[in-house]
């Protein structure tokens, strides 16, 4: 089913025009994104792979529902982005991927201070790696290796998680990070993205997959993701963001372990819509409810200001989350010690995604 909507075509054309043709800071094929902290008047162009990946992933998820013209634009976006993957691949050639370029490491680029310190160099991560696997065609051998690599860095494989609720410390769930000496971290959104890839490729489930599903299920069942979103997802510390990621996994792959929370997600979604949300967060919640087969009151994306689209924060980095000291961890959620990332192209892709879902609901 194609949705021949000229507004949607215009939206995807706009996204395509945001893709870099080789501008300063952004190699050809990447989508510009920025990191910053308004309280310190800190704003830097951020040369990363992540936002380009999730923009493409969002567009690919709606590709079958748009016009042939828009499909061709999405194909072209994909073609231009692919040559960038090797620059973000593991520095030793393994099939894991980094937020930043790796050869040499270009962590926190285009700044004045953080890139100078090895301390701030980040290891390869599950989020970027899962997204690359979703956007490419890995072989069966590569997928088997990937699952083994994940298990090697899961909780209790070599270390035990400390920065989570006590009831989760013995879960053998996957960590966000691949680094040998990196702390263990559970993030409901990262796990949802990873599990999405595991189900997409129909990989056999093991104890790590089941415990990862258990973590995602429990933070929803207990309401922890609403009360303390930061503790459930360090990099996506808003309830609307966690709701969006979990609902996408449930709606697309309907894992058996998550079926018990489907109705709770729906109830939570409608409850969230009664709260004060930014227009972009409201859009994410409505998209998620539509995916789950519900019919929230329609919203008009044209009423979302250009400023909100350009400054919408989908991903953050808490500068103290790496510290396992309890006192420092209590300070970690503070806006004073975190960076926010923005990407206009991804925000526009989220709007395109909503336009598709609202039209599907009327078809």
């Amino acid at each position: 089913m194609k949705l021949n909507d000229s507004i949607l075509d215009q939206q995807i054309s706009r996204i395509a025009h945001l893709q870099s043709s080789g501008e300063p800071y952004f190699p050809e094929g990447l989508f510009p994104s920025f990191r910053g902290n308004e309280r310190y008047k800190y704003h830097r162009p951020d040369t990363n792979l992540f936002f380009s990946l999730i923009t493409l992933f969002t567009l690919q998820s709606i590709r079958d529902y748009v016009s042939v013209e828009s499909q061709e634009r999405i194909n072209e976006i994909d073609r231009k982005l692919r040559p960038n993957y090797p620059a973000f691949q593991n520095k030793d050639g393994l099939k894991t991927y980094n937020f930043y370029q790796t050869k040499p490491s270009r962590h926190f680029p285009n700044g004045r201070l953080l890139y100078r310190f090895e301390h701030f160099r980040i290891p390869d991560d599950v989020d970027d790696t899962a997204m690359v696997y979703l956007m490419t065609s890995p072989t069966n051998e590569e997928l088997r290796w990937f699952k083994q690599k994940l298990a090697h860095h899961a909780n209790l494989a070599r270390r035990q998680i400390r920065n989570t609720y006590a009831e989760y410390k013995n879960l053998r769930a996957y960590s966000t990070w691949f680094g040998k000496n990196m702390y263990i971290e559970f993030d409901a959104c990262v796990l949802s993205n990873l599990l999405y890839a595991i189900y997409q490729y129909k990989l056999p489930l093991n104890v790590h997959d089941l415990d990862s599903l258990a973590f995602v299920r429990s933070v929803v069942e207990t309401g922890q993701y609403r009360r303390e979103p930061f503790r459930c997802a360090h990099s996506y510390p808003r309830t609307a963001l966690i709701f969006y990621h979990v609902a996408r996994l449930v709606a697309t792959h309907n894992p058996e372990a998550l079926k018990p929370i489907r109705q709770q997600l729906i109830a939570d979604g409608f409850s969230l819509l009664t709260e004060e949300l930014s227009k972009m967060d409201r859009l994410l919640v409505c998209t998620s409810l539509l995916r789950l087969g519900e019919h929230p009151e329609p919203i008009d994306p044209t009423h979302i200001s250009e400023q909100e689209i350009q400054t919408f924060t989908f991903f953050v980095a808490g500068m103290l989350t790496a510290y396992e000291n309890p006192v420092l961890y209590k300070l970690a959620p503070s806006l004073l010690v975190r960076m926010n990332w923005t990407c206009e192209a991804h925000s526009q892709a989220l709007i395109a995604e909503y336009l598709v879902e609202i039209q599907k609901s009327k078809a």
Side-chain angles (χ1 to χ4, degrees):
M1 178 182 66
K2 302 271 191 313
L3 304 174
N4 294 314
D5 186 333
S6 61
I7 296 176
L8 189 55
D9 287 339
Q10 292 170 15
Q11 188 71 16
I12 293 175
S13 176
R14 183 173 187 177
I15 295 166
H17 281 97
L18 289 168
Q19 193 171 23
S20 174
S21 57
E23 290 85 1
Y25 308 118
F26 303 108
E28 182 177 359
L30 291 184
F31 284 107
S33 63
F34 300 84
R35 67 179 187 271
N37 186 308
E38 289 185 3
R39 292 172 182 255
Y40 301 118
K41 306 301 181 184
Y42 178 83
H43 186 74
R44 298 285 186 273
D46 195 78
T47 314
N48 68 75
L49 182 62
F50 178 70
F51 274 99
S52 297
L53 281 172
I54 61 173
T55 300
L56 176 61
F57 174 72
T58 304
L59 293 175
Q60 291 283 28
S61 72
I62 64 174
R63 184 184 177 281
D64 290 345
Y65 302 98
V66 300
S67 68
V68 172
E69 180 184 5
S70 287
Q71 287 182 353
E72 290 174 352
R73 284 201 177 100
I74 293 171
N75 291 345
E76 183 67 5
I77 288 170
D78 187 358
R79 186 191 67 78
K80 290 180 178 178
L81 177 58
R82 282 176 181 259
N84 288 281
Y85 295 163
F88 296 85
Q89 190 175 342
N90 176 268
K91 64 182 179 62
D92 298 320
L94 301 177
K95 289 300 291 286
T96 57
Y97 292 83
N98 203 288
F99 192 83
Y100 289 128
Q101 295 181 47
T102 57
K103 295 170 275 193
S105 177
R106 295 195 171 109
H107 50 286
F108 294 98
N110 314 314
R112 299 174 184 172
L113 183 64
L114 297 182
Y115 78 95
R116 299 177 184 274
F117 296 95
E118 187 69 13
H119 173 77
F120 291 106
R121 178 177 173 179
I122 58 177
D124 300 347
D125 65 87
V126 165
D127 231 0
D128 284 282
T129 303
M131 281 293 161
V132 172
Y133 276 65
L134 282 166
M135 292 298 94
T136 54
S137 301
T139 65
N140 289 335
E141 183 180 354
E142 287 171 335
L143 289 168
R144 284 195 296 270
W145 177 88
F146 180 43
K147 287 295 294 287
Q148 291 171 358
K149 182 73 171 176
L150 287 165
H152 190 61
H153 293 275
N155 188 41
L156 302 180
R158 289 184 296 183
R159 301 183 63 180
Q160 184 172 32
I161 191 169
R162 296 179 63 185
N163 292 338
T164 190
Y165 296 97
E167 59 265 35
Y168 303 138
K169 289 188 176 181
N170 290 319
L171 284 178
R172 300 180 68 86
Y174 296 118
S175 177
T176 298
W177 307 100
F178 286 115
K180 181 173 65 174
N181 299 315
M182 196 66 169
Y183 68 106
I184 302 295
E185 175 186 273
F186 292 163
D187 185 304
C189 296
V190 175
L191 290 174
S192 294
N193 287 340
L194 173 60
L195 290 163
Y196 190 108
I198 288 169
Y199 278 95
Q200 186 77 7
Y201 288 113
K202 299 179 172 58
L203 302 180
L205 300 184
N206 58 31
V207 64
H208 307 295
D209 303 310
L210 296 175
D211 278 8
S212 296
L213 287 162
F215 175 79
V216 173
R217 173 178 167 172
S218 184
V219 299
V220 174
E221 278 184 332
T222 61
Q224 290 164 335
Y225 86 117
R226 298 194 66 178
R227 295 190 301 272
E228 295 184 285
F230 176 81
R231 295 197 70 183
C232 302
H234 290 160
S235 297
Y236 305 87
R238 293 201 308 279
T239 298
L241 294 176
I242 302 173
F243 178 76
Y244 172 81
H245 283 84
V246 177
R248 180 170 65 189
L249 172 62
V250 169
T252 306
H253 294 296
N254 199 23
E256 189 67 31
L258 299 187
K259 286 182 179 180
I261 64 170
R262 187 183 185 101
Q263 291 306 312
Q264 183 174 345
L265 281 172
I266 291 170
D268 283 351
F270 282 109
S271 176
L272 284 170
L273 292 178
T274 67
E275 301 176 4
E276 288 191 16
L277 299 174
S278 71
K279 290 180 179 178
M280 283 298 298
D281 274 355
R282 186 169 295 275
L283 180 137
L284 290 183
V285 174
C286 286
T287 294
S288 303
L289 285 169
L290 288 164
R291 276 199 175 111
L292 293 168
E294 299 300 311
H295 298 276
E297 184 177 345
I299 58 178
D300 186 352
T302 63
H303 290 170
I304 304 176
S305 70
E306 289 296 317
Q307 181 181 11
E308 182 169 349
I309 291 170
Q310 292 171 4
T311 60
F312 175 64
T313 297
F314 189 82
F315 174 87
V316 309
M319 304 307 287
L320 296 182
T321 55
Y323 295 98
E324 297 180 307
N325 180 287
V327 175
L328 290 177
Y329 187 71
K330 285 183 179 179
L331 298 174
S334 171
L335 297 177
L336 295 173
V337 289
R338 79 182 195 192
M339 289 187 188
N340 300 316
W341 268 258
T342 60
C343 175
E344 181 182 355
H346 181 245
S347 296
Q348 298 287 5
L350 293 173
I351 292 173
E353 180 181 54
Y354 173 77
L355 291 172
V356 167
E357 291 297 333
I358 194 69
Q359 290 193 50
K360 284 168 61 180
S361 73
K362 297 175 181 178

